Amino acid sequence: MKNLKTIALAILVAFGATVSAQTKKAKTTKKIPATELLRNSLNTFLSKDMKAWSELCDKDVVCEFPFAPEGMQAKFEGREAIYEYLKNYPNYIDVKSLPTLKIYPTDDENVAIAEWSASGVVIGNGNPYEMKYATFVTFRNGLIINYREYWNPQAFQKAMTGGSFDKK
């Protein structure tokens, strides 16, 4: 009887160790590379779902647009602030495609850089919208914590005010 208890205890311990190891393994999730997270954010942007894009951001995200035209806000802090800024973007500019997209990893596994372009039309005036961007994004726990984007404010203003990219 004592041997039976010992065997039963050994089986329970072995089974428990197996379940415990499987549970630990199941809880361990593969970290998604920053490059893939950045690609996903750009695809979400292209889908014109600004709410979904803002939900890819940490609640305390900092978004910076250092080359924003004079008079436009260049820094936004918090998920709600960036959503308020972007929510009507698809009503002004209909981005139809991202013709070029190169995403680069960095020495910091939480940071990725993208060189990309957007092609579309300005809804209010029918002007073409052709813009090149350089974007630097930092992630934590799969969410954007810092988003910094560089683009040409002169080309933006030209597209928005009646000028055409075809005319120099």
Side-chain angles (χ1 to χ4, degrees):
M1 186 71 163
K2 198 173 196 179
N3 284 343
L4 187 56
K5 284 182 182 178
T6 303
I7 292 170
L9 182 59
I11 290 171
L12 286 173
V13 168
F15 179 75
T18 302
V19 169
S20 176
Q22 289 173 347
T23 302
K24 285 180 184 174
K25 194 179 277 186
K27 286 182 183 177
T28 305
T29 57
K30 182 181 174 221
K31 183 176 178 179
I32 299 171
T35 52
E36 190 174 326
L37 292 169
L38 180 49
R39 183 177 309 280
N40 180 50
S41 77
L42 291 172
N43 286 337
T44 302
F45 174 81
L46 183 60
S47 76
K48 299 176 179 66
D49 187 345
M50 297 300 114
K51 185 67 172 172
W53 191 91
S54 68
E55 290 171 355
L56 299 174
C57 297
D58 184 82
K59 67 180 180 66
D60 297 320
V61 66
V62 174
C63 294
E64 301 170 274
F65 306 99
F67 293 161
E70 189 175 321
M72 288 182 66
Q73 189 172 345
K75 184 176 182 180
F76 298 85
E77 296 184 32
R79 181 187 300 143
E80 287 303 314
I82 194 62
Y83 174 66
E84 285 300 314
Y85 172 68
L86 291 175
K87 72 180 181 181
N88 292 318
Y89 184 88
N91 296 329
Y92 296 101
I93 300 173
D94 181 12
V95 175
K96 298 181 182 296
S97 67
L98 306 180
T100 61
L101 175 59
K102 294 178 184 176
I103 298 178
Y104 307 98
T106 68
D107 289 344
D108 182 337
E109 67 179 9
N110 298 306
V111 177
I113 300 169
E115 289 181 279
W116 57 290
S117 63
S119 182
V121 64
V122 177
I123 294 170
N125 60 21
N127 286 343
Y129 184 83
E130 303 294 332
M131 185 69 70
K132 293 180 181 179
Y133 299 88
T135 306
F136 300 75
V137 185
T138 304
F139 297 90
R140 181 176 53 222
N141 300 323
L143 296 174
I144 298 168
I145 61 167
N146 186 271
Y147 186 93
R148 192 172 63 252
E149 185 172 88
Y150 296 89
W151 42 276
N152 183 340
Q154 293 170 333
F156 175 80
Q157 289 176 318
K158 191 174 184 181
M160 298 303 287
T161 60
S164 171
F165 287 109
D166 297 343
K167 298 174 186 163
K168 300 204 181 207

